[in-house]
Amino acid sequence: MLNGEKMLFSGMQATGRLTIGNYIGALRNWVTLSDEYTCLFSVVDEHSITVRQDPAELRSRARALLSLYIAAGLDPEKNIIYYQSHVSAHAELAWILNCYTYMGELQRMTQFKDKSAKHADNINAGLFTYPVLMAADILLYQTDVVPVGSDQLQHLELARDIAIRFNNVYGDVFTVPEPYVGKVGAKIQSLQDPLKKMSKSDENENASIYLTDDRDTVLRKFKRAVTDNEACVRYSEAQPGIRNLITIYSAVTGKTPEEVEKEFAGRGYGEFKLAVGEAVADTLAPIQKKQAELLADKAYLDGIIKTNAERAEHLAIKTLRKVQKKVGFPERPR
Ligand code: TRP
C-alpha cells in the first residue's frame, strides 16, 4: 500500500495563492520523497484559523489545495492526503502537548512574534500555541522526517524538544522527527525585487507566478521581470534578477545553471525571458488541467477525501491512545 518503512509528514496551509516557489521548493520535492517514504500530506486547515478567514473561501481553497497535491503528482493511494480537521486526534493530542510545552518556549518563536505584529488586533491563544498543534501533527504519526522550509525549522526543533521531554517522562512514546531541508539553490525570488523571496501575498501581481496563472499571464510576468543592464545571461550574485530567472529555468528544465549560461550566450534578455516563461507555462499546464479535472469530479474527490482521512485516523488513533494511557486518562471499557 504505502511506499517505505520510514514515515514522512508535511502540510501546507490553504491561505493565499501558491506560487511556483511553493511548487519548486516544496510540492515537487514531496513527489520525489514520496517514492522513498510512507507519506502523509495534510491540508492544515486548523492552523489557518489562527488568523481570521472567510469560511467559504477557506473551504474552497482547502479543496483546491488538496486537489493540487494530487495534480502535482502525489498519488492518493500511495500517500495519505487529507484535511487536518477531518482527523480529530490532531486537536486532542495538541491539547495534551500544550501541557508539556512552556510559555517561554512559545514566546521565543519568531513566527509568533512576526504574526503578532502583523495581526495586532487578534493575538489569540491559537496563534500562540500554533507550534504545539504542528508538533501534534508530526508526532501523531511517529514521523521520521519532515520536509519544511527554513522558516519552519524553529517549530520543528520545538516538536523535537516536546517529543524528547515526553519520552523522558513516559518512555519511548514518540519518534523524534528530523527536518528535511531541500536542496539549496531552489530558493525562488520575487520577479519585481529579486532580493526578496517570492511571496504568496505580494501586493504587486507581477512579483509572483501563481500556480493558477495561465500561459499569457506567465509570459507577461516574465517579460516584465526586473533584470539589469549587463546584457549577459550569467549566474552571478551581481545579477540577482537574471540569476533568479536562471534558477527558475534550471528548476523546471533540469538543466544546470552553467548549461543555461551556454544556451543563452550572446542572446538577449528578451529571448531568455520568453524561454523561461514558456518552460514555466509548460510545467504548469498539465498540473492545472489535472487539478481542474479533479475539482470537476466531485464524487471521485470526495471518495479520496473520505478514505484518506480514515487511513490517517487509523494511524493517529494508535499514538493518541498510547499517549492518553501514559498521562493517566481512564481506560475505555470495552
Ligand atoms: N506551519 C507550516 C507552514 O506554515 C504548516 C504545517 C503545519 C506543517 N503542520 C505541519 C509543516 C507539520 C510540516 C509538518 O508552513
Side-chain angles (χ1 to χ4, degrees), residues 16-276:
R17 297 171 290 171
L18 294 194
T19 69
I20 47 160
N22 301 114
Y23 175 68
I24 294 168
L27 211 43
R28 211 176 55 153
N29 291 337
W30 291 4
V31 177
T32 313
L33 290 166
S34 70
D35 288 332
E36 212 181 313
Y37 295 94
T38 295
C39 300
L40 292 109
F41 297 110
S42 188
V43 172
V44 291
D45 47 1
E46 291 176 328
H47 279 100
S48 298
I49 63 162
T50 55
V51 172
R52 282 290 169 268
Q53 303 291 340
D54 176 80
E57 198 163 299
L58 179 61
R59 198 164 8 249
S60 82
R61 284 190 165 162
R63 196 168 172 96
L65 182 57
L66 188 134
S67 48
L68 181 70
Y69 286 1
I70 302 170
L74 295 169
D75 182 336
E77 289 180 9
K78 293 203 188 122
N79 305 285
I80 302 179
I81 292 172
Y82 72 105
Y83 296 124
Q84 182 187 34
S85 64
H86 283 190
V87 179
S88 55
H90 288 253
E92 290 182 76
L93 182 62
W95 170 255
I96 296 173
L97 298 182
N98 266 322
C99 304
Y100 294 82
T101 308
Y102 298 109
M103 299 286 287
E105 290 178 303
L106 295 174
Q107 264 148 359
R108 282 198 293 277
M109 294 291 123
T110 56
Q111 188 174 299
F112 172 68
K113 292 188 227 171
D114 293 348
K115 287 198 180 172
S116 310
K118 213 171 140 197
H119 304 279
D121 55 337
N122 183 21
I123 306 177
N124 61 73
L127 193 63
F128 190 59
T129 60
Y130 176 115
V132 183
L133 178 59
M134 180 163 161
D137 297 342
I138 296 166
L139 301 182
L140 210 41
Y141 299 98
Q142 305 296 342
T143 300
D144 296 285
V145 287
V146 185
V148 281
S150 51
D151 63 322
Q152 296 297 315
L153 280 174
Q154 197 186 29
H155 290 163
L156 191 60
E157 195 54 44
L158 179 66
R160 289 170 52 87
D161 290 344
I162 296 172
I164 292 167
R165 180 174 306 146
F166 199 92
N167 287 351
N168 280 339
V169 182
Y170 300 105
D172 276 342
V173 177
F174 295 124
T175 301
V176 180
E178 299 283 342
Y180 176 94
V181 183
K183 282 182 290 183
V184 283
K187 269 233 232 50
I188 309 299
Q189 304 291 95
S190 157
L191 298 186
Q192 290 298 312
D193 178 358
L195 299 177
K196 241 176 53 184
K197 193 176 149 193
M198 186 180 284
S199 152
K200 301 189 203 184
S201 49
D202 208 302
E203 308 95 66
N204 186 341
E205 267 295 312
N206 290 320
S208 308
I209 302 286
Y210 297 106
L211 297 185
T212 47
D213 284 346
D214 62 22
R215 187 172 200 91
D216 287 347
T217 308
V218 170
L219 294 180
R220 178 168 37 81
K221 287 182 177 176
F222 278 109
K223 196 168 168 187
R224 293 188 185 164
V226 169
T227 53
D228 52 57
N229 301 320
E230 302 283 322
C232 177
V233 177
R234 192 170 36 201
Y235 193 67
S236 143
E237 297 282 357
Q239 292 175 249
I242 287 293
R243 185 188 163 92
N244 187 39
L245 296 184
I246 295 179
T247 302
I248 295 171
Y249 190 67
S250 297
V252 295
T253 59
K255 295 174 186 168
T256 65
E258 297 72 51
E259 286 167 345
V260 181
E261 284 178 347
K262 265 197 209 123
E263 184 179 348
F264 291 94
R267 293 164 71 186
Y269 285 177
E271 233 183 304
F272 177 51
K273 286 172 162 184
L274 181 63
V276 181

